[in-house]
Amino acid sequence: MLTLYYHPLASYCWKPLIALYEAGTAFTPRLVDLAQPDDAALLERLWPMRLFPVLEDGDTVLPESSIIIEYLDLHHPGPHRLIPADPKAALQVRLWDRFFDMHMESPVQEIVRDALRPESRRDRQTVAEQKEKLDRAYIAAERHLAACDNDSWIAGAFSLADCAAMPALFYAGAIHPFYAHPALSEYFTRLTRRPSAGRVIEGARPWFQYFPFRQGIAAQFLA
């Protein structure tokens, strides 16, 4: 039996959760609360970086959300692949996975970390720079999506890249909205209507109260 060590609020944990729900793969969710010493010690034993998610499958222990999804696609595949067999198509999927992690998730995490600091230690310049990065990422994604078919996902069929996009856009939009980008906004709406994404959001809902930008989350996701 697969075990996923995760936290429902953590955006990088949403990626493999979406993949698992897409595939209909049975797994045991193991919530890790780093405020609890035993949980923190458990996660450190599994992965010395003490970061989630971590997947355990018998003797195999894998960290890193993208790697976990690659592993699931190889060893516990669902009805459709999340990384295409065609190498060229797979490159596009991996490109957009990296795009959302590096150019949306990373700025979001910097902004959240700043918000969690005491007021006296907050850095307005860093926050402004991270929002500028988000603006550039929104423009790049908007251009790409505007050139795609209306019902297309970010790299064609639903894939690893879309698993990365949903949490990145969910939290980025709560902090620095992208309403001015219609193709990106429509894509995000379609993502959140995906049943696998809906299950992830539902599981995270009780924890949204701890997100420092909770007021930016759309009311439909809080109800």
Side-chain angles (χ1 to χ4, degrees):
M1 172 66 78
L2 294 168
T3 300
L4 184 72
Y5 298 87
Y6 81 114
H7 193 283
L9 193 59
S11 56
Y12 281 117
C13 294
W14 287 21
K15 287 174 60 176
L17 282 171
I18 292 169
L20 286 160
Y21 293 148
E22 282 286 324
T25 301
F27 72 102
T28 299
R30 171 61 162 87
L31 191 151
V32 176
D33 182 354
L34 291 178
Q36 302 299 320
D38 288 347
D39 279 11
L42 169 64
L43 189 60
E44 188 167 0
R45 287 197 298 273
L46 291 167
W47 176 228
M49 298 306 296
R50 208 170 71 169
L51 296 170
F52 34 56
V54 174
L55 182 75
E56 186 175 40
D57 185 14
D59 293 334
T60 300
V61 177
L62 283 174
E64 301 297 332
S65 57
S66 298
I67 301 301
I68 289 171
I69 293 175
E70 293 245 15
Y71 177 85
L72 291 170
D73 218 35
L74 286 171
H75 299 284
H76 301 275
H80 60 271
R81 292 181 62 105
L82 294 175
I83 298 96
D86 176 72
K88 289 184 178 179
L91 275 179
Q92 285 300 304
V93 166
R94 293 187 177 100
L95 165 65
W96 286 101
D97 171 65
R98 294 295 78 223
F99 173 85
F100 285 109
D101 278 6
M102 296 176 67
H103 302 300
M104 287 195 192
E105 283 282 10
S106 291
V108 163
Q109 300 226 343
E110 287 295 321
I111 294 169
V112 169
R113 273 194 287 269
D114 185 81
L116 294 174
R117 296 186 185 112
E119 182 71 35
S120 61
R121 293 178 52 204
R122 292 181 186 170
D123 186 342
R124 292 182 181 178
Q125 181 177 343
T126 294
V127 170
E129 289 171 351
Q130 299 308 314
K131 288 184 177 180
E132 287 177 5
K133 290 179 182 179
L134 286 174
D135 283 332
R136 288 196 295 273
Y138 295 164
I139 290 169
E142 176 71 14
R143 288 177 182 172
H144 175 75
L145 286 162
C148 294
D149 295 335
N150 290 336
D151 60 350
S152 175
W153 298 102
I154 197 72
F158 191 90
S159 69
L160 161 68
D162 303 291
C163 295
M166 204 286 282
L169 289 168
F170 186 95
Y171 285 114
I175 293 170
H176 191 55
F178 44 83
Y179 307 130
H181 303 284
L184 184 60
S185 297
E186 190 278 334
Y187 170 62
F188 175 64
T189 297
R190 285 195 293 120
L191 280 172
T192 58
R193 289 175 178 169
R194 190 92 174 177
S196 57
R199 287 183 67 180
V200 172
I201 294 169
E202 177 68 25
R205 187 169 290 130
W207 298 88
F208 286 152
Q209 61 183 307
Y210 302 109
F211 181 57
F213 298 93
R214 180 185 182 277
Q215 71 279 5
I217 298 175
Q220 71 200 68
F221 302 125
L222 297 173

